Amino acid sequence: MSDMDDSVPGSGISRAGFVAIVGRPNVGKSTLLNRLIGQKISIVSSKAQTTRHRVTGILSAGNVQFVFVDTPGFQTRRDNALNRVMNRAVSQALKGVDLVFFVIEAGRFGDEDRAALDAIPPETCVVLVINKVDRLDDKSTLLPFIDQVRGLREFAEIVPVSAEHGHNCDVLVTAAAKLLPEGNPIYGADEVTDRGERFFAAEFLREKLFRLLGDELPYGLTVEIEKFETEGRLRRIHAAVIVNKAAHKGIIIGKGGEKLKQAATQARLEMEKLFDGKVFLETWVKVRSGWADNERALKSLGYE
C-alpha cells in the first residue's frame, strides 16, 4: 500500500471528488459506504438487489472530501425493466466520476464480477477493494488471490478490507485521498448525503421487509411514500408496500398482520434515529401488476 503523503487528509492540499462504488450484487458496497461515512444511509440485507437506487454519501476528512455514490449491483441474471434501470444507474454513476472503488469478495471472482469490471470505462482510475477478508477460512490464500486479480486491469491501488468490521477502511481512505483532484469541497463539512427524508423512509421500510421475509421475499416488492408531513419534530408518513401479484399480499402482511407490523415498527425506530424526531408510520399493501417491467411505472416509483 502507498505511504501517506502531502495529499492525504490533514496535509494542507484541498482535494474533493466523486467516487463510484461498483461491483456485483452482495459484495458489501452499501456496508462499505455506511462504514466510510460513519452513518447508515444505504440499506443492507443478505438479499441481492437490496440497493436499487444511487445513494450519495459524503465524507469530509480534514482537507479532503469524498462524495461516494453507492450503485446497485450490476445485474446479469434477469432481463426486465427494473434490472435495465439499475444497470443504467450504474452506467450513469460512472460518467464524470473521479475515481471508482471496484468491490469484490475475497477469494471469489466470477462472471458477474467480470461483467461489473467491464462496465467501468477503460480510462477511469480504479481502486480494487477486496472486501470480506475476515470471512476467509485460510488467510494465506489472500496474497495468491490478489496476484490472480491484479492482472485483470491496471488498478491505482489494491486494498483488502472488512467493511463489516471496519478493518483497513482507514487505509482505503488514505490510499484513495491522493487520487482525488485538487479542489474545494463540493458539500458542507457537516453534510452526509444529498438524499431527503422521504427517500430514507421508503428505503428503511423496504430493508426491514427484505430482512424479515427471507426466502419468502417476492421479487416484485417496493415501497412508495404516499404522504410525508412534518409538524415540528414529528413526521407523519403513509407508506404503501407495492407487490406484483395479489398472492403476495398475504406474504407481506403475515398472520394477523404481524409481518408488516414488525417491519413497520423496526423501520419507524430507525427513522426516528436518523430524523431525530418522533415518527408516525402507517403502512398497507397494494397490488400493482407488472410494475417491475414497466418503465413508466418505475419512473413514478422513483427509479430513474
Side-chain angles (χ1 to χ4, degrees):
M1 303 307 147
S2 297
D3 293 329
M4 292 179 65
D5 60 21
D6 65 354
S7 60
V8 299
S11 67
I13 297 177
S14 293
R15 295 180 180 271
F18 290 86
V19 182
I21 304 176
V22 175
R24 66 165 170 80
N26 261 13
V27 290
K29 299 182 296 299
S30 297
T31 302
L32 178 63
L33 173 64
N34 293 336
R35 173 66 64 178
L36 290 174
I37 69 167
Q39 185 171 332
K40 180 177 177 178
I41 62 167
S42 194
I43 65 172
V44 177
S45 84
S46 60
K47 293 294 182 182
Q49 296 185 329
T50 302
T51 300
R52 290 178 176 172
H53 306 270
R54 285 190 295 168
V55 181
T56 302
I58 303 156
L59 169 64
S60 298
N63 57 308
V64 176
Q65 186 175 86
F66 295 87
V67 182
F68 294 111
V69 183
D70 183 23
T71 63
F74 196 79
Q75 308 296 319
T76 59
R77 295 185 180 182
R78 190 191 295 252
D79 182 23
N80 68 2
L82 178 58
N83 280 6
R84 290 193 295 272
V85 166
M86 288 194 287
N87 283 351
R88 195 156 64 233
V90 177
S91 299
Q92 289 171 347
L94 289 168
K95 292 179 181 177
V97 297
D98 302 291
L99 184 63
V100 169
F101 284 177
F102 176 58
V103 185
I104 62 174
E105 185 175 338
R108 176 181 172 185
F109 190 93
D111 291 342
E112 289 180 287
D113 299 284
R114 180 83 248 186
L117 181 60
D118 288 345
I120 303 172
E123 69 277 7
T124 305
C125 183
V126 180
V127 172
L128 177 63
V129 182
I130 302 175
N131 192 25
K132 304 184 184 182
V133 294
D134 55 304
R135 299 188 187 183
L136 282 175
D137 293 328
D138 183 358
K139 298 298 190 286
S140 69
T141 62
L142 180 59
L143 287 179
F145 178 71
I146 291 174
D147 287 337
Q148 173 193 337
V149 296
R150 73 166 69 246
L152 297 171
R153 182 185 177 120
E154 186 176 341
F155 296 108
E157 293 282 354
I158 299 176
V159 186
V161 304
S162 168
E164 183 177 3
H165 299 289
H167 174 69
N168 249 18
C169 288
D170 56 341
V171 174
L172 175 61
V173 169
T174 299
K178 68 182 186 299
L179 301 173
L180 295 181
E182 293 184 23
N184 294 323
I186 300 161
Y187 292 93
D190 58 345
E191 293 183 76
V192 293
T193 184
D194 64 351
R195 288 287 195 173
E197 292 183 351
R198 192 183 190 106
F199 172 81
F200 289 114
E203 287 290 272
F204 285 172
L205 179 56
R206 188 165 63 86
E207 178 195 60
K208 301 313 175 190
L209 288 166
F210 270 46
R211 290 186 171 190
L212 283 172
L213 293 170
D215 292 336
E216 292 183 285
L217 179 73
Y219 172 77
L221 179 153
T222 195
V223 174
E224 181 178 29
I225 302 301
E226 297 190 341
K227 185 185 292 186
F228 193 111
E229 298 175 337
T230 304
E231 302 170 10
R233 293 181 61 190
L234 170 67
R235 278 82 168 172
R236 296 185 183 277
I237 303 169
H238 294 188
V241 180
I242 309 297
V243 293
N244 199 38
K245 299 177 181 178
H248 293 159
K249 286 187 71 172
I251 297 173
I252 306 299
I253 294 169
K255 186 176 180 180
E258 282 304 308
K259 215 74 158 188
L260 183 57
K261 183 179 178 181
Q262 188 178 356
T265 298
Q266 293 179 7
R268 177 181 57 77
L269 292 172
E270 202 151 87
M271 290 176 206
E272 290 180 338
K273 183 178 178 181
L274 180 64
F275 302 160
D276 191 26
K278 189 72 176 174
V279 171
F280 171 82
L281 177 63
E282 187 172 341
T283 60
W284 52 86
V285 182
K286 288 185 174 181
V287 179
R288 197 171 297 174
S289 299
W291 73 266
D293 205 19
N294 183 314
E295 296 232 3
R296 182 178 293 180
L298 287 167
K299 190 170 184 179
S300 73
L301 290 166
Y303 292 89
E304 300 291 336

